[in-house]
Amino acid sequence: MANQLIDGVKMSEKFYVTTPIYYVNAQPHIGHAYTTVVGDFLKRFHELDGFEAYYLTGTDEHGEKIYQAAIEHEIDPLMFCDEISKRFAEAWNVLDISNDDFIRTTEARHKKVVNQILNTVYENDDIYYDEYEGLYCVGCERFMTEKELVDGMCVDHKQPPERRREGNYFFRMEKYQEWLRIHIEENPGFIRPTGYRNEVLSMLNQSIGNLSISRPKERVPWGIELPWDSEHVTYVWFDALINYISALNFPDGEKFSNFWPNSHHLIGKDILKAHAVFWPTILKAAGIPIYQSLSVGGFLMGKDGQKMSKTLGNVVDPFELTKAYGSDAVRYYLLKDTVFGQDSSVGENMLVTRYNADLANDLGNLLSRVRALLLRHFKAIIPEGKQEESDQEVIDSGIGLIGKVRPLVDSLRFFEALEEIMAFVRLLNRYFNDEAPWKLAKEAESQTRLATVLYNVTEGLRITSTLLEPAMPNKAIQIRKDLGLGDYNFSDVVSWGGVTPGTKIPNFTEMLFPKQEAETKSSNESVSIQTIPEKTRKDCKEMVDEVSIDDFSRIELRVARVIKAEKVHGADKLLKLCVDVGADERTVVSGIAPWYKPEDLAERKVILVSNLKSAKLRGIVSQGMVLAAEDGDGNVRLIEPADAVPVGSLVR
Ligand code: MSP
């Protein structure tokens, strides 16, 4: 897709990517977010790769089902559309989607272009009036053939379609069938992945019929009136598809001449026919060059194993997920744990597992380890290295990475592209562990080697962060900031040495990826006294050698007093403490229930880690952690400060 070579043809350096425009009869869910994240990933990837990129998304606001939804909510259809369209825009905002435009089909700029195209096709005699009887699925907003039904029901909406007979205007779609079939045959990259191309070719091997492009206004009053017959409104799909060019100000707009037809449409598999058959034939009939490529994604499935949808009520809310884990984590997860083109199951626990493994352990840990050594041994200045034979594997892998990643992105294998980058991060971790810079630091004669290892890992992280930027724009920038670095693009990652020795790294930073617990869903057993998983504890142990005074001084410990304690419903090990920290009162959830009764804790002084990032445990926000130690018998005892020390005192 990004391909400079599609079907052997050299593409221009322009890249226009679109998502479907979303129906406003339902709130945005993670299934919608998926295509939008993929689109944003592609836009940013191409921009960093030197393309002039443009990214469009928006909302589809006409048609029967939107009208019905507005009626059900007893509100004016446009007000209803305003409301939900805004929610989509907000969702893309929290997910850091960098769309250049957001089109709404109720906007005048869109209606104008729909009118123009209708007129052109009508004047060419490609539209006629006829009576039609068929099976109509309101969910899909289209007539269906018997063959498309399973047990008499629409596969996507699990509803039988209605039999309808009405007078409509028809577009002579069949006239363009053979032309389209040949185009798809001759351009293997036009519809991808191949399975969907084959599906369309088999549709085109049978008669596709003509397309009803109007609805009687008396039945569906919510739509764009036909320019030649005010008793009919435009069929919602004919109207909606045109968004891809109305947003570019077809026909005279600069954006249109700049980006069309270098356009790449991203869709879900349920709207394949509309994009692969209706849209190119409409464009052809209107005398407009057709789009470059159509990339078809599978569905995100809910916990019940069914396509996530409002109708089935099994949706994951992108707002909630982003609030809990941050937009970069959600974006990364959606790209890394799905295979584009196929259905994928998604869920919060899977997100947490992926986050902890790839982001917290492999990437975040490496960054904090290299930073700690730079702060401790080089006064926060990145040193100059002297490369040796043993550094070559890391160097070659780093500068070869974009060459491996680009073709994977071009062929829609996003998870493999990210896996290549993470494999490089794991290589950097191995290199770091094998070279053991904390040991090198102890020997006077190993100082140059120490400098080289730290330089190489820093340079590796520079390349990693640049390549991860399309997936995780914020964290990528944070990685570079934590290393005192600025921004780069893909032409800066093909050689080693982009980091300038002498660069100063900041003394204090926020943890890149704090470890997460799927506490909202976790069972009792997964909550241990320290609420730190085994793996993290192991990491901490490995890192004991390397905690600098700077690292340690970032932890704020304060004397606190327990005001009251109570059991946490449904969690045997947890107590909810309300503590006085001097300046304020906090809630802390602690796994000390097996050793303390709530009534024994009131008025006790404890030591609290008071600047710990808040975490939700069993739905309670815990704002800190109390310190405890194990006695020889495996019992846990709270650490108590001397009586004379006032509440709120800093522990030094
Ligand atoms: N309005 C039409 C598209 C018109 S484009 C000119 C439409 N809207 S939709 O809101 O129902 O769906 C928009 C996109 O979201 C579709 O590509 C659909 O496949 C996708 N998804 C909706 N639920 C989804 C999942 N559970 N998983 C992945 N994508 C899903 O169709």
Side-chain angles (χ1 to χ4, degrees):
M1 130 161 354
N3 242 343
Q4 280 144 328
L5 277 182
I6 285 188
D7 300 334
V9 180
K10 172 106 174 80
M11 297 291 101
S12 91
E13 301 293 303
K14 304 277 162 70
F15 182 78
Y16 173 41
V17 60
T18 67
T19 71
I21 48 172
Y22 301 100
Y23 282 133
V24 290
N25 64 331
Q27 296 284 337
H29 60 66
I30 205 78
H32 304 124
Y34 177 54
T35 319
T36 317
V37 165
V38 170
D40 195 52
F41 172 81
L42 287 170
K43 183 221 165 168
R44 291 178 189 265
F45 192 93
H46 283 82
E47 231 161 34
L48 286 165
D49 213 11
F51 284 72
E52 186 184 347
Y54 196 81
Y55 181 25
L56 176 71
T57 187
T59 42
D60 190 353
E61 306 190 1
H62 289 127
E64 200 169 335
K65 68 177 170 186
I66 309 293
Y67 185 70
Q68 281 177 0
I71 300 291
E72 272 164 31
H73 286 81
E74 294 178 354
I75 90 173
D76 165 71
L78 188 57
M79 275 166 68
F80 179 74
C81 294
D82 287 348
E83 195 85 348
I84 310 230
S85 180
K86 207 166 77 202
R87 285 292 284 169
F88 275 93
E90 280 165 11
W92 307 155
N93 197 21
V94 300
L95 276 163
D96 293 302
I97 303 298
S98 63
N99 53 301
D100 298 284
D101 197 355
F102 186 102
I103 183 103
R104 298 182 54 188
T105 54
T106 46
E107 289 175 89
R109 62 171 173 154
H110 173 72
K111 293 184 190 168
K112 192 177 103 193
V113 179
V114 172
N115 266 289
Q116 270 173 296
I117 307 260
L118 279 168
N119 275 330
T120 309
V121 182
Y122 190 58
E123 279 156 21
N124 288 348
D125 199 28
D126 273 343
I127 290 176
Y128 64 94
Y129 185 82
D130 201 4
E131 291 265 313
Y132 185 79
E133 184 171 342
L135 298 167
Y136 195 81
C137 171
V138 180
C140 294
E141 288 277 23
R142 67 180 178 88
F143 284 101
M144 312 205 85
T145 59
E146 297 272 2
K147 274 204 200 128
E148 287 177 278
L149 308 177
V150 172
D151 298 331
M153 311 237 232
C154 162
V155 189
D156 290 326
H157 296 94
K158 313 269 180 275
Q159 298 261 349
E162 297 166 19
R163 181 156 288 282
R164 282 193 182 168
R165 180 180 180 81
E166 61 191 26
N168 284 333
Y169 286 90
F170 285 81
F171 162 53
R172 294 187 205 281
M173 189 161 74
E174 213 163 33
K175 183 172 149 189
Y176 300 98
Q177 174 164 351
E178 189 50 14
W179 158 82
L180 180 60
R181 199 189 55 73
I182 293 170
H183 181 82
I184 297 173
E185 290 281 8
E186 288 178 353
N187 295 277
F190 183 62
I191 300 169
R192 296 181 307 159
T194 321
Y196 297 107
R197 173 175 181 264
N198 294 340
E199 205 176 311
V200 176
L201 282 173
S202 79
M203 281 179 211
L204 294 172
N205 282 329
Q206 298 153 31
S207 159
I208 55 170
N210 289 334
L211 178 67
S212 147
I213 55 126
S214 70
R215 297 290 177 266
K217 208 166 167 186
E218 54 176 22
R219 190 169 61 75
V220 188
W222 187 237
I224 303 175
E225 263 178 26
L226 293 183
W228 61 87
D229 185 346
S230 60
E231 291 306 303
H232 284 81
V233 296
T234 313
Y235 167 47
V236 62
W237 269 106
F238 194 97
D239 156 1
L241 289 160
I242 290 171
N243 90 87
Y244 300 129
I245 57 172
S246 66
L248 299 181
N249 300 333
F250 170 83
D252 310 315
E254 200 185 313
K255 280 183 279 179
F256 182 73
S257 52
N258 213 5
F259 291 107
W260 195 265
N262 288 312
S263 53
H264 303 275
H265 298 316
L266 292 174
I267 59 162
K269 63 182 182 181
D270 51 337
I271 54 176
L272 176 62
K273 188 173 181 183
H275 283 79
V277 180
F278 301 175
W279 183 220
T281 52
I282 293 170
L283 285 165
K284 180 76 178 161
I288 304 167
I290 61 169
Y291 57 83
Q292 205 76 62
S293 76
L294 182 66
S295 301
V296 189
F299 292 148
L300 298 194
M301 314 300 265
K303 269 195 293 187
D304 53 0
Q306 303 258 34
K307 177 196 174 195
M308 233 179 248
S309 74
K310 180 197 139 178
T311 329
L312 301 177
N314 57 353
V315 293
V316 172
D317 180 348
F319 291 100
E320 299 252 316
L321 216 54
T322 310
K323 198 161 151 215
Y325 303 101
S327 83
D328 286 52
V330 175
R331 295 166 60 110
Y332 178 80
Y333 169 65
L334 288 179
L335 293 162
K336 182 82 194 297
D337 267 22
T338 58
V339 180
F340 190 83
Q342 293 175 23
D343 295 347
S344 313
S345 287
V346 291
E348 187 176 350
N349 286 331
M350 289 185 268
L351 183 152
V352 170
T353 307
R354 172 62 60 207
Y355 173 104
N356 283 337
D358 290 11
L359 305 180
N361 287 350
D362 290 348
L363 183 57
N365 224 5
L366 182 65
L367 176 72
S368 72
R369 294 171 90 188
V370 75
R371 269 185 48 80
L373 293 178
L374 287 170
L375 289 171
R376 196 198 296 181
H377 302 293
F378 293 94
K379 298 195 170 73
I381 305 291
I382 299 173
E384 182 152 15
K386 191 163 169 290
Q387 309 301 346
E388 290 179 16
E389 188 57 37
S390 57
D391 302 316
Q392 210 50 46
E393 187 190 0
V394 161
I395 297 175
D396 290 345
S397 303
I399 61 182
L401 202 50
I402 180 65
K404 288 186 177 170
V405 166
R406 191 185 284 116
L408 290 170
V409 171
D410 284 350
S411 53
L412 309 171
R413 287 148 69 190
F414 310 123
F415 78 100
E416 288 173 70
L418 292 176
E419 181 47 28
E420 278 295 343
I421 303 170
M422 292 319 295
F424 178 62
V425 172
R426 290 194 296 272
L427 174 69
L428 286 175
N429 271 298
R430 270 202 309 280
Y431 171 78
F432 190 88
N433 289 336
D434 291 349
E435 297 289 339
W438 57 94
K439 285 189 191 149
L440 296 172
K442 290 180 185 150
E443 312 294 335
E445 68 275 16
S446 314
Q447 295 309 299
T448 308
R449 190 66 202 141
L450 172 65
T452 310
V453 171
L454 295 186
Y455 180 86
N456 284 338
V457 176
T458 308
E459 173 66 358
L461 284 170
R462 178 189 74 87
I463 292 179
T464 303
S465 76
T466 307
L467 289 175
L468 281 177
E469 193 168 324
M472 295 191 288
N474 304 300
K475 294 294 181 183
I477 291 171
Q478 192 191 330
I479 293 173
R480 295 197 296 269
K481 271 199 182 144
D482 291 358
L483 295 171
L485 306 174
D487 291 339
Y488 302 89
N489 58 44
F490 292 167
S491 60
D492 302 318
V493 295
V494 286
S495 55
W496 201 253
V499 170
T500 312
T503 301
K504 184 164 178 2
I505 68 166
N507 284 318
F508 300 102
T509 57
E510 289 228 327
M511 203 168 182
L512 185 66
F513 291 111
K515 263 270 184 358
Q516 301 286 352
E517 304 226 14
E519 69 281 346
T520 43
K521 309 252 165 69
S522 66
S523 62
N524 239 357
E525 301 79 69
S526 68
V527 183
S528 68
I529 163 82
Q530 297 87 341
T531 71
I532 298 175
E534 191 52 43
K535 176 79 174 78
T536 320
R537 274 184 259 159
K538 215 170 110 239
D539 290 346
C540 290
K541 223 169 128 214
E542 275 167 16
M543 285 189 62
V544 159
D545 235 26
E546 304 157 32
V547 171
S548 70
I549 193 79
D550 281 324
D551 283 342
F552 184 70
S553 65
R554 292 176 57 206
I555 298 169
E556 191 185 75
L557 301 172
R558 282 187 190 275
V559 174
R561 179 178 59 89
V562 179
I563 302 170
K564 68 169 186 203
E566 61 192 64
K567 293 195 157 171
V568 174
H569 183 67
D572 294 343
K573 292 182 182 168
L574 298 182
L575 287 184
K576 178 180 159 193
L577 313 178
C578 170
V579 296
D580 175 5
V581 198
D584 60 27
E585 281 178 19
R586 308 267 184 97
T587 300
V588 175
V589 178
S590 176
I592 54 173
W595 301 280
Y596 289 96
K597 291 195 194 115
E599 57 274 23
D600 292 340
L601 289 171
E603 289 312 309
R604 262 182 117 121
K605 279 188 185 160
V606 289
I607 294 182
L608 180 78
V609 182
S610 53
N611 63 342
L612 196 67
K613 195 171 178 292
S614 298
K616 227 186 199 179
L617 289 164
R618 294 274 155 174
I620 305 166
V621 178
S622 179
Q623 304 158 293
M625 186 163 80
V626 291
L627 293 191
E630 262 181 41
D631 66 16
D633 299 320
N635 295 314
V636 166
R637 297 281 155 229
L638 287 166
I639 311 281
E640 288 194 67
D643 244 341
V645 184
V647 167
S649 303
L650 268 178
V651 178
R652 294 184 196 278

